[in-house]
Amino acid sequence: MDLMTMDNPRQKEPDVLLPETVSRRKLPLNIKEADLPLFSHESEKIIPPTRLLELRDVWVSSDGILFKGGRMRPESFAFPLNRKDWKTRSVLKFFAGNYLLKSRKTFEREAVWIVDDWSAGYFHWLADALPRLFTIKHRLNHSTLLLPSQHKALEFVQPTLRPFDVRETVFIEPNEVFLCRKLVVPTQTAPSGHYREETIRAVGKLLSDFYGTAPGSAECADRVYISRSRARKRKVLNEDEVVTTLREFDYKIINAEDYSFEQQVKIASAARYLISNHGAGLTNMLFMRPGGSVLELRHNTDRINNCYFTLASALNHRYFYQTCAPENRDEDPHNANLFVDVAALRANLKLMLQP
């Protein structure tokens, strides 16, 4: 049964905004035969249709959970498994807190919902949430965008909304829960970590046209390395050696934390070469001109976290990779700190410069 008809059997089928398609990925330009298992399973991906749901009389909590009739709706979650995780918590406590302990408000105007439980991260906001907003941008002059309270404190959220000409944004405060009479929900444009090429390119162009810098600008560099030295996880442990090598090749070394969102767009839009280890900084390839070169420093056994390999392919960038040994062999690749082989890095830097 369709998600819409779960609430009302008489409701019409959701509109199809974008049809099913297939995303085909180009392998890394420096692929080694031994590393094919890291990428080959992602060479092709079916992208389901994007649909427009119109939910009636649905509650929305300040932490971004949609619920109705005592049930959390699946649109609240990036993946079905996340919904199962919520069910293992105290569901009764959640509902008691949202019905009894919060100020209940009725939202009469048409509202738009584009987020899930992962959307507060930089990558997931730009690569998952904004493409959903793009599919209904024609409705934004008469609808209100609703967002969970935590998005109000995220420095990158408000600047990314300006190019969309969002008429009104309302943040659901921690002490509030909204009853939305009509909540318009575009479903994912692609499963997280995958992309509908024309949509993700259009989002990147919209933002880079709005904030970007002309190629050759004196304030920006042609070659950029984004350091994760201040991050809690996935650091490069021998970064001093790495930075010394990168400077031999005229790379500008930056920490994304030192720059506003607008400044990061300017930097990336002027760059032709972008390097970082797996992390949010690589999301900025979204603002590079097509044909840029990207090098991802990644865990040597990680075949799961391929979101930047697939993003580079979707954006028509030249993707390179370098496998790196982890600090602790048994640690989850998504968390592990890495050692970079500097000799291999120098070889990859030379390879990237070839036409």
Side-chain angles (χ1 to χ4, degrees), residues 16-294:
V16 175
L17 294 172
L18 299 168
E20 179 180 295
T21 188
V22 178
S23 177
R24 295 181 175 88
R25 287 70 181 261
K26 299 179 286 290
L27 286 172
L29 289 178
N30 61 338
I31 188 69
K32 297 178 180 177
E33 186 175 356
D35 293 331
L36 275 171
L38 302 180
F39 303 100
S40 57
H41 61 294
E42 301 283 20
S43 62
E44 188 171 293
K45 178 74 174 180
I46 295 175
I47 307 298
T50 299
R51 302 182 185 276
L52 185 66
L53 311 181
E54 292 187 1
L55 308 181
R56 303 284 180 171
D57 297 326
V58 62
W59 291 91
V60 186
S61 73
S62 61
D63 52 5
I65 303 298
L66 311 181
F67 54 101
K68 182 175 181 178
R71 296 169 60 189
M72 296 181 183
R73 290 197 57 96
E75 297 83 20
S76 309
F77 306 99
F79 296 99
L81 183 61
N82 298 17
R83 190 184 186 191
K84 291 180 181 178
D85 289 343
W86 263 91
K87 287 183 177 179
T88 63
R89 309 179 193 183
S90 176
V91 177
L92 287 177
K93 183 178 179 180
F94 167 81
F95 283 109
N98 281 286
Y99 277 117
L100 302 177
L101 302 179
K102 294 190 177 181
S103 172
R104 284 171 280 176
K105 296 184 177 180
T106 300
F107 202 84
E108 300 285 357
R109 303 187 299 281
E110 177 179 289
V112 168
W113 190 258
I114 61 164
V115 298
D116 54 45
D117 59 326
W118 280 15
S119 297
Y122 186 77
F123 166 79
H124 294 287
W125 173 257
L126 286 166
D128 297 339
L130 289 187
R132 295 170 69 180
L133 188 66
F134 186 85
T135 64
I136 57 165
K137 64 182 188 302
H138 60 283
R139 301 180 71 134
L140 299 177
N141 61 350
H142 65 267
S143 301
T144 297
L145 178 64
L146 285 187
L147 290 173
S149 59
Q150 62 180 322
H151 288 66
K152 192 174 184 178
L154 298 174
E155 182 274 334
F156 52 82
V157 167
Q158 301 270 22
T160 56
L161 295 178
R162 291 187 198 115
F164 285 88
D165 290 326
V166 177
R167 182 182 70 88
E168 180 184 40
T169 304
V170 171
F171 296 92
I172 306 174
E173 298 298 337
N175 64 332
E176 297 176 333
V177 60
F178 282 12
L179 174 62
C180 294
R181 295 301 188 191
K182 181 181 179 181
L183 190 66
V184 175
V185 183
T187 61
Q188 292 176 321
T189 57
S192 188
H194 303 278
Y195 314 92
R196 189 177 292 269
E197 280 93 344
E198 67 277 10
T199 305
I200 194 67
R201 290 174 197 160
V203 170
K205 187 176 187 305
L206 180 68
L207 294 167
S208 58
D209 284 353
F210 196 86
Y211 291 117
T213 298
S217 170
E219 63 182 305
C220 296
D222 189 52
R223 306 173 189 182
V224 175
Y225 171 74
I226 301 179
S227 170
R228 287 183 56 86
S229 60
R230 300 177 196 166
R232 291 181 292 106
K233 57 187 178 182
R234 295 197 307 276
K235 297 183 182 183
V236 172
L237 294 172
N238 60 328
E239 192 167 61
D240 287 346
E241 290 181 274
V242 169
V243 165
T244 298
T245 303
L246 289 168
R247 285 187 170 139
E248 293 173 17
F249 288 80
D250 297 324
Y251 273 81
K252 179 178 182 177
I253 315 302
I254 72 168
N255 288 84
E257 298 90 339
D258 293 334
Y259 299 87
S260 68
F261 174 77
E262 296 93 328
Q263 290 171 322
Q264 289 187 57
V265 177
K266 288 183 186 301
I267 290 169
S269 66
R272 289 196 299 153
Y273 301 88
L274 180 67
I275 299 175
S276 189
N277 47 323
H278 182 87
L282 282 173
T283 312
N284 288 338
M285 74 172 81
L286 187 61
F287 314 122
M288 295 172 68
R289 288 162 285 149
S293 296
V294 177

